[in-house]
Amino acid sequence: MTDPTASTPELTEGDLVELEIGDVAHGGIFVARHPSGRVVFVADALPGERVLARVSEVRKRFARAETVSTLEASPERVDHVWAEAALDRDPDDRAGGAEFGHALPEFGRELKRRVLVDSLARFGGLDAESGLLDELRVAALPGDDESRGTGWRTRLTLHVGDDRRVGPYAARSHRIVDVASLPLAFPELETRALAEIAEGSRSPGRIDFVAPSDSDVRLRRRPDGKPAREPETLYERVHDHDFAVGEDGFWQVHRYAAVTLFDAVRDAINADAFDPEAQHLDLYGGVGLLGAALAEHTGAREVRLESVESAETATAHARANLSEWGGATAVTARVDRYLQQLARDADEATRESVRRGTVVLDPPRAGAKEPVIDALAELAPSQLVYVACDPVALGRDTGLLRERGYELARVRAFDLFPNTHHVEAVATFVRA
């Protein structure tokens, strides 16, 4: 075992090293520098701490490590919200999915704010000291501070190993670990999932749990990855709207996330750039949640809105979910190809209507990327409301949009995933 107080010129996997922890980095890890000069990304730490960490990976330019113990703990450190993810477990056996669980949700939000501001400044070219970013805060969802960020997950997956053992994966791995609690899960879902863990399973694979707003917890087994039954259609309620969604389809995980984003998108639409009679687009539309927010914002029962989604089942649900607004349509297509075809084939009247329109886009974690940004810039809609689940992707796309004539007019952030590093942002871009 390496002497943790020695200055070692090279790091190797398994080394125990003392590290002074700097600030947070994207991905729920923290930056340290080894005496050799190598940057080390450390899990389960907090800024300002001195920790004993075990090196888990060494690459040419950096290394990764997991905290084994704190030598000087941050005043922000508290007992971990999930016992099975705490420091008293070996790093290899810590449950994943609660990487900020050793801090209160309020400080977790501050860490997320720092990452978001850094991403928008570094990749988006914004001034970190500008009023837009200086005033940025990450908002909590109802009840999360009181519950310390527990009981919010309405969707959960457990895995079944070849030994028929059931459990979640360890952090940063695909190895199943034993747990006796699932504190982030909705209470009824946790009870059902723990019963499955206690019972074990007959076949390796996975078990998906859903706690929809319309009824009881559903369980769907996937032996060897193949579903044992067809997915049901579930219904989720947001204000006065019922949204059909497939049991295995995408829906926001936090029990208050859908209504939060619905309201945030409605509020993010810039009134000066909004023409209710124009052609509007809902890109990466899923089952139509954010498209409905845009349609409702028009204040009319007839709207020109098209939702674009690559999954056929989700498109079918979107078509039904948006049917209360006459004129709303939903198509199955890849967003980049849809926009490129629209830019190439649309007649002048359609192009002009799109140019006056508003686009809502909710891309996957990787972001919209350059082909989509280029097509949007060619179509030149009046404004974009960009819903982002990854701060670095948002920062990069912000830079691309600013280069193409859009300016970031407003950004808000929400803690849809307390006790994790994930953060959701809603940004408004207006054509200059």
Side-chain angles (χ1 to χ4, degrees):
M1 182 180 295
T2 303
D3 178 357
T5 64
S7 177
T8 54
E10 295 295 336
L11 289 174
T12 59
E13 291 185 15
D15 282 351
L16 285 177
V17 292
E18 287 187 14
L19 296 169
E20 302 283 344
I21 304 298
D23 211 348
V24 65
H26 180 48
I29 52 179
F30 299 83
V31 182
R33 190 172 291 276
H34 185 255
S36 65
R38 188 186 296 269
V39 171
V40 185
F41 295 114
V42 186
D44 303 324
L46 286 175
E49 292 189 324
R50 188 164 64 90
V51 305
L52 184 65
R54 189 169 73 196
V55 177
S56 57
E57 181 182 8
V58 178
R59 295 192 180 184
K60 184 176 181 180
R61 296 182 180 275
F62 64 89
R64 298 186 186 276
E66 283 78 39
T67 301
V68 173
S69 63
T70 55
L71 305 176
E72 294 179 11
S74 164
E76 303 291 349
R77 181 176 284 274
V78 295
D79 289 341
H80 205 290
V81 74
W82 192 359
E84 288 87 345
L87 289 186
D88 54 6
R89 268 200 174 194
D90 185 89
D92 289 342
D93 294 328
R94 292 175 195 160
E99 55 274 13
F100 285 172
H102 53 297
L104 293 177
E106 299 94 313
F107 190 64
R109 293 195 296 273
E110 167 58 19
L111 296 174
K112 298 178 193 195
R113 185 198 66 80
R114 295 179 192 178
V115 172
L116 182 55
V117 168
D118 178 72
S119 298
L120 288 169
R122 184 184 306 184
F123 303 109
L126 297 170
D127 183 353
E129 302 303 320
S130 70
L132 194 65
L133 297 186
D134 190 50
E135 296 173 3
L136 180 61
R137 299 293 182 269
V138 179
L141 270 59
D144 283 344
D145 282 347
E146 292 79 3
S147 68
R148 218 190 125 186
T150 63
W152 55 267
R153 289 195 68 97
T154 61
R155 281 149 175 79
L156 178 72
T157 294
L158 295 178
H159 303 275
V160 184
D162 292 336
D163 58 359
R164 310 302 190 261
R165 183 173 57 164
V166 180
Y169 282 148
R172 299 168 294 280
S173 84
H174 288 151
R175 194 168 55 81
I176 296 168
V177 294
D178 293 323
V179 299
S181 66
L182 296 161
L184 304 193
F186 197 68
E188 290 83 353
L189 192 155
E190 180 185 30
T191 298
R192 186 77 180 272
L194 291 177
E196 290 293 319
I197 290 173
E199 183 178 336
S201 180
R202 294 182 294 276
S203 302
R206 55 185 268 189
I207 308 172
D208 296 328
F209 301 83
V210 181
S213 60
D214 71 324
S215 59
D216 297 332
V217 173
R218 265 73 158 194
L219 175 154
R220 191 161 177 249
R221 303 180 193 279
R222 293 176 178 262
D224 298 317
K226 301 174 183 178
R229 61 172 177 80
E230 290 299 311
E232 297 180 44
T233 296
L234 309 177
Y235 291 89
E236 301 281 2
R237 190 158 185 82
V238 176
H239 294 310
D240 296 330
H241 309 289
D242 288 317
F243 290 88
V245 58
E247 185 180 2
D248 59 350
F250 175 78
W251 187 256
Q252 293 293 334
V253 174
H254 193 296
R255 55 182 172 159
Y256 292 121
V259 69
T260 297
L261 289 181
F262 187 96
D263 293 346
V265 165
R266 238 179 8 190
D267 294 344
I269 296 171
N270 186 304
D272 293 335
F274 186 69
D275 181 347
E277 297 181 357
Q279 175 65 60
H280 309 296
L281 301 177
D282 172 26
L283 305 180
Y284 312 94
V287 299
L289 171 70
L290 304 184
L294 175 54
E296 187 172 275
H297 183 82
T298 66
R301 304 315 301 170
E302 293 284 333
V303 298
R304 298 183 65 184
L305 169 71
E306 185 146 87
S307 184
V308 184
E309 166 59 45
S310 61
E312 290 186 8
T313 302
T315 303
H317 287 311
R319 195 171 293 120
N321 294 335
L322 295 171
S323 62
E324 65 180 281
W325 290 278
T329 58
V331 298
T332 303
R334 270 182 41 172
V335 168
D336 56 347
R337 294 175 181 172
Y338 171 89
L339 292 175
Q340 289 160 0
Q341 182 177 3
L342 183 62
R344 183 180 64 246
D345 298 340
D347 58 35
E348 189 56 37
T350 300
R351 290 180 65 93
E352 177 57 28
S353 188
V354 171
R355 182 176 173 81
R356 292 185 288 108
T358 292
V359 174
V360 174
L361 63 159
D362 183 12
R365 195 164 301 283
K369 297 186 177 179
E370 197 160 5
V372 169
I373 301 296
D374 283 342
L376 283 170
E378 183 175 354
L379 290 165
S382 179
Q383 67 179 312
L384 312 172
V385 178
Y386 188 130
V387 179
C389 60
D390 185 277
V392 170
L394 176 60
R396 184 202 64 227
D397 286 347
T398 295
L400 293 174
L401 285 166
R402 295 183 72 221
E403 290 171 0
R404 288 154 179 78
Y406 284 88
E407 281 302 324
L408 180 61
R410 185 176 190 261
V411 60
R412 296 178 66 197
F414 303 91
D415 194 8
L416 303 193
F417 313 92
N419 290 308
T420 80
H421 75 275
H422 298 291
V423 61
E424 200 89 0
V426 179
T428 304
F429 296 87
V430 176
R431 190 180 65 227

